[in-house]
Amino acid sequence: MHTLYDSDTYSVTHMLANAVATDATPDVSLDRTEPVRIVPTLARHGFEIVDKRANKEVYLDGSWAELFQQHISAWQQNTPTQEEVEDTLEQYAELAQNPVLVH
């Protein structure tokens, strides 16, 4: 999980579903302990966009995440103003249906 953007209005977090967890498990046949890779069955990444004003969030995955990744790549090529970033995030935030809950 990486926070990509955080302002008074929006927060964007990149969720990495492809992250590999390791657990130390004993291997009886080799009489040693080696890390075991646990790979998710649906290895997908996504982006969480939180609209702090509306107190709502949207999670982008699949084709939506790919489209948003294209915006990020374009921003890396041509550094946008904060206003340009927030205008783009506002368009995605219109998809937000889930209220932000703190556990």
Side-chain angles (χ1 to χ4, degrees):
M1 198 165 61
H2 299 290
T3 300
L4 302 178
Y5 182 79
D6 191 22
S7 72
D8 292 339
T9 312
Y10 295 103
S11 174
V12 178
T13 305
H14 187 197
M15 306 293 200
L16 299 169
N18 293 342
V20 177
T22 58
D23 291 335
T25 357
D27 186 339
V28 188
S29 64
L30 300 174
D31 195 28
R32 66 178 186 219
T33 303
E34 293 184 13
V36 174
R37 297 184 78 188
I38 301 170
V39 180
T41 52
L42 288 175
R44 298 174 78 170
H45 74 96
F47 298 93
E48 178 188 54
I49 300 173
V50 175
D51 182 343
K52 295 178 182 179
R53 297 169 304 175
N55 204 27
K56 291 189 176 184
E57 64 93 17
V58 61
Y59 183 77
L60 306 174
D61 68 349
S63 59
W64 282 104
E66 290 173 18
L67 182 62
F68 190 70
Q69 181 65 53
Q70 291 174 3
H71 282 287
I72 292 172
S73 296
W75 290 338
Q76 289 173 337
Q77 303 264 331
N78 304 311
T79 307
T81 64
Q82 183 173 356
E83 185 177 329
E84 291 171 325
V85 171
E86 301 233 342
D87 286 346
T88 300
L89 294 177
E90 183 177 12
Q91 294 171 3
Y92 283 101
E94 290 175 2
L95 302 170
Q97 299 295 317
N98 302 325
V100 174
L101 301 174
V102 178
H103 299 279

